[in-house]
Amino acid sequence: MTDTPFLPRVAVVTGGARGIGLAIGQWFLAHGYQVALLDNDHATLDAAVAELALPDRVLGVHCDVSDEAQVAAAAKTVAGRFGRVDALVNNAGVAVFKRIADTSFADWRSVMGTNLDGAFLCTQAFSPSMVEAGRGAVVNVASISGLRASTLRVAYGTSKAALIHLTKQYAVELGNAGVRVNVIAPGPVETEMAKLVHSVAIRSDYVDAIPLGRYGSVEEMANAVGFLCSDAASFINGQVIAVDGGFDAAGVGLPTLRRGAATAQADHA
């Protein structure tokens, strides 16, 4: 009887050209995976793949995850290159920040198409490989906006709340086949997009509202996703983890009172 050669695990990351998605791809590479990065921004994806400079382990696939045909083609491409999938991270997302009265149906459908339909289509396309193997992990990237409502997020927040419930639906069914499905809900994260759209006043508000007093990093998001995909999380299924520095836990707590409590604790230390 001959030994079966070791086959590296394979991870698929959507929205993998930049920010959180690229950091997740780098986490998988650092842990020995082969990685397929999917993104609809051709130029940025090609640049990211070139920068990683690991042609034997990294595959860039141009794909709009809201398009069923493109997702099916991407799944075929990944299968042809790597032959299997062990982890899927549905990270691709778009946002439209408008007041409800100003949000058009086209805006609504654009957000739902990527944030919700995309996760559904990709999980449908890539999970059969995991089901056949009897193991694997799917992690969806939602948002703190899926856990707590806020202004200008009628489409974005609703899509992320729906993604959290979609995660639980998949966890119940795919769990029977040994495939775990979980979701993270990032709070404010230091990304290039955040730097562009978060004014000084908005950043100050967030920092005041987050008990840890800062934005998260893309590496911290990647670490959470990586953990959920790892064997260390082998009994975690159907869960939403807020990776937000305590933002969700703080609820409507007043920053001034929290700072006062922190001062009092320091005085008693």
Side-chain angles (χ1 to χ4, degrees):
M1 182 176 179
T2 59
D3 292 335
T4 301
F6 171 75
L7 295 175
R9 292 186 182 183
V10 176
V12 175
V13 183
T14 72
R18 63 169 68 81
I20 294 173
L22 182 57
I24 292 169
Q26 291 170 320
W27 186 96
F28 281 121
L29 289 170
H31 288 79
Y33 284 69
Q34 294 176 315
V35 177
L37 301 175
L38 276 58
D39 208 288
N40 66 351
D41 184 336
H42 293 203
T44 304
L45 177 61
D46 290 347
V49 171
E51 181 70 21
L52 290 171
L54 295 168
D56 293 337
R57 297 178 58 202
V58 178
L59 172 66
V61 183
H62 303 147
C63 178
D64 179 347
V65 298
S66 70
D67 186 305
E68 184 177 7
Q70 290 191 40
V71 171
K76 185 176 180 179
T77 298
V78 173
R81 172 69 177 273
F82 295 132
R84 58 188 283 185
V85 174
D86 299 279
L88 167 66
V89 182
N90 288 308
N91 167 72
V94 297
V96 172
F97 297 136
K98 295 181 180 179
R99 296 190 181 279
I100 293 173
D102 297 327
T103 301
S104 68
F105 185 62
D107 291 331
W108 173 272
R109 280 306 321 150
S110 173
V111 173
M112 293 295 169
T114 297
N115 297 2
L116 185 59
D117 298 350
F120 170 79
L121 290 172
C122 288
T123 306
Q124 293 290 89
F126 289 104
S127 65
S129 173
M130 293 183 258
V131 170
E132 182 179 355
R135 58 170 293 152
V138 178
V139 176
N140 295 321
V141 179
S143 167
I144 199 67
S145 294
L147 295 174
R148 54 189 297 180
S150 58
T151 55
L152 310 182
R153 285 166 171 77
V154 63
Y156 182 75
T158 303
S159 73
K160 295 300 189 178
L163 180 58
I164 289 169
H165 190 75
L166 180 68
T167 299
K168 296 180 180 182
Q169 293 288 159
Y170 271 113
V172 170
E173 193 163 333
L174 294 186
N176 291 324
V179 179
R180 300 178 297 102
V181 188
N182 294 288
V183 56
I184 69 166
V189 180
E190 289 286 9
T191 63
E192 292 304 315
M193 182 174 293
K195 292 173 183 176
L196 288 173
V197 302
H198 289 184
S199 66
V200 173
I202 289 174
R203 290 182 66 89
S204 178
D205 286 345
Y206 272 130
V207 169
D208 280 347
I210 297 170
L212 288 186
R214 63 175 177 85
Y215 278 43
S217 69
V218 294
E219 291 79 14
E220 287 170 321
M221 304 305 118
N223 287 339
V225 169
F227 166 71
L228 289 172
C229 290
S230 74
D231 293 338
S234 58
F235 204 55
I236 300 177
N237 187 37
Q239 300 304 303
V240 53
I241 298 179
V243 190
D244 66 349
F247 186 32
D248 185 54
V252 295
L254 299 178
T256 298
L257 294 180
R258 289 207 308 274
R259 285 195 294 268
T263 300
Q265 290 174 353
D267 290 342
H268 285 86

